[in-house]
Amino acid sequence: MVTMTSSGTAQAQSPTHQAGTQELDPGNLTELRRDAERSSQALADATKALEQRQATLTKADKELKVKLEQLRTATVELSKVRRPLADLVQSLYQEPSGGDMAPFLSGQDDASSLRALSDMTYLVSGRDKVLADAGRLYQEQQKLAADAQELRATKLLVEAQLSAEIDTLRKRSATVVKSLSQALTKLGVRVNQGGRTGAACDPTRVSAAAQYPNGLLPKTVLCPLQQRGRELRADAAISFVALNEAYRKQFGRPMCVTDSYRSLGAQQSIFYRRPGFAAVPGRSNHGLGLAVDLCGGVDVFRSVQFNWLEANGKKFGWIHPDWAYHSPFEPWHWEYDPKLGSLL
Ligand SMILES: [Zn+2]
């Protein structure tokens, strides 16, 4: 596992650490988050591979079934003509009808006996062909039945192998998320705040966040911050905790947060109380769990804290968006850029 350390100067300038907070390298959190995302991706890939394999095998199985059915029908049709044809040939051999064959056999060359001979040759060859076809069809049917059986056996085997692989990946993914949640808990994040079930900060669920409208994110994609009552989308939250630790090393105290994820209700309430101050409800990055409003110095443009965050936030995926420099001027507003974060 790679561990990153922040610069020596940053450490030298950090006089105190808050009591009860264990030191954990912020880089560790990034590593854990990446690990969780990779595990989740591997799990998704394996699941997709299994589904594709199943679909391919099911299609091949269906095609075989259709072929087998066609063969069975052909065999039935053949056996229908086989019997009467064989009987007819048999009867012609036994009693050459009305003595037609006698003149021919005795050497007399006469038209009706030639015709009788030709009829019989035709019937015999017809019978032979029917018998040969029936044999061929039977063999083909046997081969297809064997193929179908083999295909089903292969399908079961592949399914079992891939399911085992998926099971392993799922367990691994759960273990990483658990480690991540434990690391966050050590840093004072109350992961199971608000009766969260299966308490975890799970950055692998954030892709599900896109299904939900702004301001209506479910608890499963959100994760609390060290700052009480504040929460963000899991990936943003984990990065923010790492950023907060770096800030703490620099300034000796955690960041001050006045606002983070904002539910739609909260957005509306702020908008109507202070129109112009907050974004139109349903459009704010706060509603996506990707923005914070900060205090404690960062909110003052060009303060030491602001400049430090401007210089160091990017390393954690946090930026001060262009618009916030002027229109409207909001030095306190900072955003997490998932694209930047995914490159860490
Ligand atoms: Zn804001």
Side-chain angles (χ1 to χ4, degrees):
M1 181 163 294
V2 179
T3 49
M4 300 192 319
T5 52
S6 52
S7 72
T9 45
Q11 278 175 332
Q13 286 173 2
S14 64
T16 51
H17 288 286
Q18 281 209 334
T21 308
Q22 289 199 26
E23 191 160 343
L24 188 140
D25 201 307
N28 219 354
L29 277 182
T30 306
E31 184 69 24
L32 278 168
R33 176 175 64 83
R34 259 207 326 232
D35 210 1
E37 283 162 358
R38 273 198 298 260
S39 297
S40 166
Q41 191 54 51
L43 180 61
D45 289 348
T47 307
K48 204 172 158 195
L50 174 62
E51 282 164 3
Q52 275 170 353
R53 197 88 174 85
Q54 278 172 331
T56 309
L57 290 169
T58 303
K59 189 167 168 262
D61 195 30
K62 263 185 196 157
E63 281 165 5
L64 267 178
K65 268 187 194 146
V66 170
K67 261 195 188 167
L68 261 175
E69 199 44 51
Q70 285 169 345
L71 268 178
R72 267 190 213 113
T73 314
T75 313
V76 168
E77 292 305 311
L78 260 180
S79 66
K80 273 186 201 159
V81 275
R82 197 166 113 188
R83 193 73 232 159
L85 199 59
D87 288 350
L88 186 56
V89 170
Q90 192 70 16
S91 70
L92 279 169
Y93 268 129
Q94 277 167 359
E95 29 173 325
S97 55
D100 279 353
M101 293 298 277
F104 172 75
L105 292 169
S106 61
Q108 288 175 5
D109 188 353
D110 124 320
S112 70
S113 66
L114 270 177
R115 202 183 313 121
L117 184 66
S118 134
D119 285 352
M120 196 163 90
T121 309
Y122 177 74
L123 284 171
V124 169
S125 74
R127 181 197 62 170
D128 288 348
K129 188 182 176 301
V130 166
L131 285 173
D133 283 354
R136 188 175 49 73
L137 279 176
Y138 179 73
Q139 274 178 356
E140 212 171 313
Q141 198 177 327
Q142 294 295 97
K143 193 189 165 297
L144 277 180
D147 285 355
Q149 205 173 14
E150 200 188 312
L151 191 75
R152 272 167 222 146
T154 307
K155 189 172 178 232
L156 286 176
L157 188 69
V158 167
E159 277 173 358
Q161 283 169 341
L162 284 172
S163 297
E165 193 188 321
I166 285 170
D167 211 42
T168 308
L169 288 170
R170 185 172 291 135
K171 279 186 191 134
R172 176 165 156 58
S173 188
T175 306
V176 177
V177 170
K178 202 175 158 197
S179 306
L180 186 54
S181 296
Q182 280 167 349
L184 288 166
T185 304
K186 275 187 189 169
L187 288 169
V189 176
R190 296 191 308 158
V191 170
N192 54 3
Q193 156 191 297
R196 209 177 285 263
T197 49
C201 270
D202 192 345
T204 69
R205 292 195 189 139
V206 298
S207 57
Q211 302 165 18
Y212 299 93
N214 186 305
L216 296 172
L217 297 190
K219 282 281 176 197
T220 49
V221 306
L222 292 167
C223 179
L225 304 180
Q226 290 147 304
Q227 289 78 3
R228 287 286 159 90
R230 306 294 173 200
E231 54 186 357
L232 289 171
R233 203 174 84 173
D235 52 344
I238 294 161
S239 304
F240 189 82
V241 171
L243 174 63
N244 189 51
E245 288 309 302
Y247 182 97
R248 197 204 298 274
K249 274 185 182 172
Q250 179 69 18
F251 297 104
R253 58 189 145 86
M255 277 196 275
C256 167
V257 181
T258 55
D259 211 352
S260 51
Y261 168 68
R262 232 182 259 156
S263 68
L264 193 60
Q267 289 178 52
Q268 281 166 342
S269 148
I270 291 181
F271 185 74
Y272 293 118
R273 257 188 295 123
R274 299 181 68 185
F277 175 78
V280 176
R283 293 214 201 130
S284 161
N285 266 350
H286 285 285
L288 299 176
L290 298 174
V292 286
D293 290 342
L294 301 172
C295 36
V298 179
D299 49 328
V300 180
F301 191 60
R302 290 293 162 227
S303 64
V304 184
Q305 292 89 343
F306 182 97
N307 289 342
W308 181 89
L309 199 56
E310 192 183 48
N312 295 280
K314 288 184 199 77
K315 291 182 216 158
F316 300 87
W318 284 86
I319 53 149
H320 188 53
D322 284 344
W323 62 260
Y325 282 91
H326 44 81
S327 57
F329 175 63
E330 287 188 11
W332 55 84
H333 180 98
W334 292 74
E335 292 183 355
Y336 177 70
D337 181 349
K339 273 188 216 130
L340 209 56
S342 69
L343 296 175
L344 297 174

